[in-house]
Amino acid sequence: MLVDTEGLENFIDENAIHEIIRTTTQPESARVRDILDKAREAKGLTLEETACLLQAEDPELNEMIFETARAVKRAIYGNRLVLFAPLYVTNECGNNCTYCGFKADNTELDRRTLSPEELQREVRVLEDMGHKRLLLVYGEHPKFGADWIAETVQTVYDTVAEKSGEIRRVNINCAPLDVEGFRKLSDVGIGTYQCFQETYHTKTYAALHPTGHKKHFLWRLHALHRAMEAGIEDVGMGPLLGLYDYRFDILSCLAHAAELEKRFGVGPHTISFPRLEPALNADIAFNPPYPISDMQFKRLVAVLRLSVPYTGLILSTREDRIMRRELLDLGVSQISAGSRTYPGAYTDPNYDRPDVQQFCIGDNRSLEDVIQEIVQNGYIPSWCTACYRLGRTGEHFMELAKKGFIQEFCHPNSLFTFKEYLHDYAGEATRSIGIPLIQNEVDNFPAKRRDLVETRLHRIEEGERDLYL
């Protein structure tokens, strides 16, 4: 595939974003309070308002930001939390990203691409854990085109484990394709196409991506445009925090989101915000040029929730369990769990292997351990995929979400998927805390809705699966 950047424009105005950051440094308390009053309406924030909150260092103002984010998160998402796992299909790569263990010139990395049979084995392990949603991750090697990626997606969908195991949602993180290539992925039924710009600062981007297709900043910047032109309605974006000033990259990411909404009527389905983590033979990954503190990181997540209240916020296992727990309340709506970051990892008994993984992870707990903790904190784990199969995606999903749809449909559907998990996969300790949580949620439904939910929960107990509203 040829990379053609002719006619592509950089819609990220670097000078304007730097000026916004400069003029909102140390915002006045009254200004921050006014912005938070607006944020409670869940209608989003401007870049200037977002920059003010990102730079509010006063502890009292920080707590006000956190509390506002908690309130908005509860109002829109309730206590529902979506879970997924990444599945690495290949770590072969043609790029030389200086911060990544998969970079082409890392000769110490054990390269591997899963065969269809190996991919099936990985999927069955994940299905036997209880996973229903996967993110397939591919090294960006030019020899892996859209046809091959589409075949791997179909292999995943066709793989069914013995219990009630089947994958109902396959999301994709792969190299940017042309419109025709993205159309092939759309035709095979992928969910979200995810592509991170890493950093939006062009000078830094060029220094960090010296060779390979990824060196073409504009080709990557317009990847989500091409995906949406091809019919993929749900896309995901995000910066890699630590490569450049996080304030600049977060504001640029939001400008990117606004550009998509202007062009296609809807912004990204999800935003991710991974922090740079150590990786084999990637010195910059051990010493980020722009480190972000834990407090800055927590504030960033809270501010994102206020800036784009209806956009899913994804948290990976790069963060440790303590940070992950704190961020659930502040705005995160999706988390990975039981993750491993190299091809063949889920069938590998010795999974902690820096010689093969893309980066080091901070939360090594199993899926069930993560579920137990979030349930103990009052969250309902969800593997719901109803919207995608009923066509409630893209602009249609956002329209419904703003009318309270998430609570009306996604909340009951989360209970159905959690009920499945408890019956088919969970241990006794998890069932002992999960069943009472479901019952408590059911008791709080209005009477008419409660009857409908209880009927479907009973049908699941009787052996039916994959029920949704």
Side-chain angles (χ1 to χ4, degrees):
M1 180 187 67
L2 297 177
V3 173
D4 181 9
T5 59
E6 185 177 353
L8 300 183
E9 100 178 271
N10 185 1
F11 49 79
I12 304 298
D13 188 335
E14 294 189 14
N15 291 332
I17 290 174
H18 281 301
E19 182 65 11
I20 289 173
I21 293 171
R22 186 189 67 79
T23 57
T24 55
T25 302
Q26 297 180 332
E28 294 182 356
S29 175
R31 176 60 177 148
V32 172
R33 292 169 188 268
D34 286 344
I35 295 170
L36 293 178
D37 285 341
K38 175 185 175 181
R40 289 187 184 92
E41 299 175 5
K43 295 181 180 178
L45 301 175
T46 67
L47 292 187
E48 186 272 340
E49 291 165 341
T50 301
C52 283
L53 297 188
L54 285 175
Q55 299 187 93
E57 301 287 349
D58 180 82
E60 182 179 350
L61 293 178
N62 274 205
E63 188 48 48
M64 292 178 64
I65 292 171
F66 293 156
E67 184 50 44
T68 306
R70 292 185 190 105
V72 171
K73 165 76 186 300
R74 286 194 300 268
I76 295 175
Y77 295 91
N79 60 346
R80 166 183 167 272
L81 186 65
V82 173
L83 286 93
F84 72 96
L87 196 169
Y88 282 69
V89 184
T90 178
N91 62 6
E92 295 186 69
C93 193
N95 299 319
N96 260 314
C97 309
T98 59
Y99 48 83
C100 181
F102 287 1
K103 60 183 177 179
D105 65 5
N106 185 4
T107 58
E108 294 183 45
L109 185 76
D110 181 14
R111 303 287 176 178
R112 183 178 181 185
T113 296
L114 299 181
S115 68
E117 294 74 24
E118 290 171 328
L119 179 57
Q120 287 179 321
R121 287 196 289 271
E122 290 282 288
V123 172
R124 288 193 181 99
V125 170
L126 288 162
E127 288 173 340
D128 285 339
M129 293 179 192
H131 278 294
K132 304 294 184 186
R133 304 164 61 106
L134 297 184
L135 171 67
L136 301 189
V137 184
Y138 305 80
E140 298 191 8
H141 199 289
K143 70 179 181 180
F144 298 123
D147 289 325
W148 177 77
I149 294 172
E151 288 173 6
T152 64
V153 173
Q154 193 60 58
T155 296
V156 172
Y157 277 134
D158 289 343
T159 302
V160 180
E162 289 185 9
K163 297 180 181 178
S164 64
E166 75 281 336
I167 300 303
R168 300 170 184 166
R169 168 83 166 181
V170 176
N171 299 327
I172 293 291
N173 184 313
C174 70
L177 303 170
D178 56 22
V179 174
E180 181 183 355
F182 280 125
R183 192 168 288 121
K184 292 177 181 179
L185 298 189
S186 178
D187 289 344
V188 81
I190 74 162
T192 300
Y193 169 68
Q194 183 186 83
C195 182
F196 298 163
Q197 191 66 25
E198 317 295 14
T199 177
Y200 289 86
H201 188 248
T202 52
K203 184 178 179 179
T204 301
Y205 186 96
L208 296 175
H209 308 95
T211 62
H213 282 174
K214 196 169 177 178
K215 73 178 183 179
H216 299 287
F217 178 88
L218 290 177
W219 178 253
R220 194 170 190 88
L221 184 65
H222 284 259
L224 301 183
H225 287 66
R226 296 192 299 276
M228 297 182 83
E229 287 172 15
I232 299 173
E233 294 189 304
D234 291 343
V235 297
M237 62 173 61
L240 178 54
L241 301 173
L243 300 179
Y244 189 62
D245 184 337
Y246 76 93
R247 300 168 300 176
F248 176 89
D249 275 332
I250 288 298
L251 293 177
S252 297
C253 182
L254 293 172
H256 191 175
E259 173 69 16
L260 292 182
E261 185 162 9
K262 176 183 176 182
R263 175 74 180 275
F264 299 100
V266 63
H269 189 64
T270 59
I271 292 177
S272 302
F273 33 87
R275 287 197 283 187
L276 195 59
E277 292 294 331
L280 180 67
N281 290 333
D283 292 341
I284 192 175
F286 289 87
N287 299 286
Y290 291 85
I292 175 172
S293 71
D294 285 352
M295 177 55 73
Q296 291 170 330
F297 187 57
K298 288 192 290 186
R299 185 170 62 235
L300 177 157
V301 174
V303 172
L304 277 176
R305 176 46 64 218
L306 300 178
S307 298
V308 283
Y310 294 95
T311 299
L313 297 185
I314 297 179
L315 181 64
S316 76
T317 51
R318 288 174 182 259
E319 302 299 327
D320 64 29
R321 63 182 298 176
I322 296 173
M323 178 60 74
R324 276 160 60 90
R325 170 63 194 94
E326 290 187 55
L327 293 179
L328 297 187
D329 293 340
L330 296 180
V332 168
S333 56
Q334 297 187 27
I335 62 170
S336 55
S339 304
R340 300 184 182 182
T341 62
Y342 61 92
Y346 296 104
T347 52
D348 184 352
N350 303 309
Y351 64 88
D352 189 14
R353 297 177 54 197
D355 60 317
V356 291
Q357 63 190 16
Q358 186 180 27
F359 55 83
C360 296
I361 62 176
D363 187 350
N364 287 295
R365 291 175 297 164
S366 68
L367 172 62
E368 184 153 20
D369 286 343
V370 172
I371 288 171
Q372 284 187 14
E373 181 180 77
I374 64 177
V375 169
Q376 287 166 346
N377 284 280
Y379 283 93
I380 296 290
S382 176
W383 293 267
C384 179
T385 57
C387 288
Y388 316 117
R389 289 181 287 168
L390 292 173
R392 300 186 298 228
T393 56
E395 186 176 5
H396 183 44
F397 173 83
M398 286 298 178
E399 290 174 353
L400 292 170
K402 293 173 183 178
K403 298 176 182 178
F405 162 85
I406 292 177
Q407 293 283 40
E408 183 75 10
F409 290 91
C410 301
H411 186 205
N413 287 339
S414 70
L415 297 180
F416 304 150
T417 61
F418 187 34
K419 185 77 166 181
E420 278 191 33
Y421 176 83
L422 292 176
H423 270 268
D424 297 341
Y425 307 101
E428 185 55 40
T430 307
R431 285 194 290 270
S432 69
I433 58 175
I435 292 173
L437 179 59
I438 289 177
Q439 188 59 55
N440 183 67
E441 295 295 314
V442 172
D443 290 343
N444 287 321
F445 276 104
K448 185 176 180 180
R449 199 69 169 169
R450 188 188 313 135
D451 291 342
L452 175 63
V453 173
E454 285 182 330
T455 297
R456 299 208 175 194
L457 288 171
H458 180 71
R459 288 167 59 186
I460 292 171
E461 287 183 7
E462 294 297 309
E464 290 189 60
R465 294 293 178 266
D466 198 17
L467 303 180
Y468 49 83
L469 302 178

